[in-house]
Amino acid sequence: MKHGKKYNESAKAIDKSKLYETAEALDLTCKNAKAKFDETIEVHIRLGVDSRHADQQVRGAVVLPNGTGKNVRVLVFCKPEKVEAAKAAGADYAGAEEFADKILKENWMDFDVVIASPDMMGLVGRLGRVLGPRGLMPNPKAGTVAPDVAKAVTEAKAGKIEYRLDKTNIIHCPIGKASFGAEKLDENLNTLLEAVAKAKPAAAKGTYFKSCVVTSTMGVGIPVNTAKYGV
């Protein structure tokens, strides 16, 4: 795979044999984010678990202290008496059957997060084949199935992100934009890594954090030292 001149220049500044402390890694990542748009900063965490086993799943959600820099569009499924509270908290859409029909009949997908009150899961369950493959299905572990939908909306708008293993036992998450600067990104990254460390399954054996890499949208992956998280 051929890379551009900017990528190759950035790659020369990275020692691939070194594990960088989070602050230094993010400082380098920001300096290497040279695209004409505000690049997203991402983290990729390989864990020493086997996602094929139910007792080794790692999934949860965490509110990043400095948000993600993304304007999150939120759809809420709730009873009529909760619609106004959801909208007051910042929900872009709130309702019930009308939105389920719009998704099923019109393939409407103008939202980034779906939140549901527990009493709406019968309705939302019908949308599983559409929302599930896109990672949008509400889930109690992610805090997107919640009795207090207004609180869930506030957290989603504030920068709550979900983390979960893919089939190769890697977690992929955005932690902000290059314009945030290294200090704010470092706060976000540490918050995420601490949450993942706490989510270590009891069935996981050996080294938990196998590797961790931060990168910008168009940038070079930088290996991060996770020793301080103690797992």
Side-chain angles (χ1 to χ4, degrees), residues 11 84 99 102 105 113 119 163 172 174 180 186 220 229:
E84 285 308 313
F99 290 110
K102 197 172 173 67
K105 295 175 182 177
V113 175
D119 54 8
Y163 58 84
H172 309 273
F180 283 21
D186 192 34
V220 183
Y229 302 99

Side-chain angles (χ1 to χ4, degrees), residues 64-82:
L64 300 179
N66 299 298
T68 62
K70 181 181 179 182
N71 180 30
V72 180
R73 299 166 299 172
V74 179
L75 164 63
V76 177
F77 284 99
C78 60
K79 298 289 186 183
E81 59 269 23
K82 291 186 177 180

Side-chain angles (χ1 to χ4, degrees), residues 9-230:
E9 284 176 0
S10 297
K12 290 176 184 176
I14 310 302
D15 181 354
K16 289 289 186 179
S17 65
K18 175 182 175 181
L19 292 177
Y20 290 84
E21 296 305 316
T22 56
E24 186 182 4
L26 289 163
D27 184 52
L28 280 167
T29 303
C30 290
K31 286 176 179 174
N32 289 337
K34 299 172 182 175
K36 292 180 180 178
F37 59 93
D38 192 6
E39 294 184 49
T40 297
I41 307 301
E42 304 162 358
V43 60
H44 307 279
I45 310 161
R46 182 186 295 276
L47 297 179
V49 296
D50 188 342
S51 61
R52 292 174 298 178
H53 299 291
D55 61 355
Q56 294 189 46
Q57 285 292 328
V58 179
R59 181 176 185 176
V62 63
V63 178
L64 300 179
N66 299 298
T68 62
K70 181 181 179 182
N71 180 30
V72 180
R73 299 166 299 172
V74 179
L75 164 63
V76 177
F77 284 99
C78 60
K79 298 289 186 183
E81 59 269 23
K82 291 186 177 180
V83 167
E84 285 308 313
K87 287 185 175 178
D92 297 87
Y93 314 99
E97 284 85 358
E98 67 273 30
F99 290 110
D101 289 343
K102 197 172 173 67
I103 290 168
L104 290 173
K105 295 175 182 177
E106 302 174 26
N107 198 31
W108 176 71
M109 297 297 292
D110 292 342
F111 47 86
D112 306 297
V113 175
V114 181
I115 291 167
S117 55
D119 54 8
M120 297 301 290
M121 287 310 290
L123 172 67
V124 176
R126 290 169 24 203
L127 307 173
R129 60 186 173 83
V130 180
L131 300 180
R134 293 175 169 87
L136 291 170
M137 193 67 182
N139 183 284
K141 285 187 177 180
T144 45
V145 176
D148 188 344
V149 292
K151 181 184 176 186
V153 170
T154 301
E155 289 180 343
K157 289 284 188 176
K160 188 174 193 174
I161 60 165
E162 182 181 356
Y163 58 84
R164 61 189 297 184
L165 289 174
D166 68 7
K167 291 178 181 177
T168 60
N169 306 315
I170 299 175
I171 289 171
H172 309 273
C173 281
I175 56 166
K177 298 287 188 179
S179 60
F180 283 21
E183 189 175 335
K184 287 185 176 180
L185 289 167
D186 192 34
E187 289 176 2
N188 281 359
L189 177 58
N190 278 288
T191 299
L192 173 62
L193 290 175
E194 285 167 6
V196 173
K198 286 178 183 174
K200 181 181 179 180
K205 305 298 180 188
T207 304
Y208 183 51
F209 282 110
K210 290 284 189 181
S211 67
C212 178
V213 172
V214 292
T215 181
S216 61
T217 307
M218 307 293 287
V220 183
I222 300 174
V224 172
N225 184 3
T226 57
K228 65 181 176 183
Y229 302 99

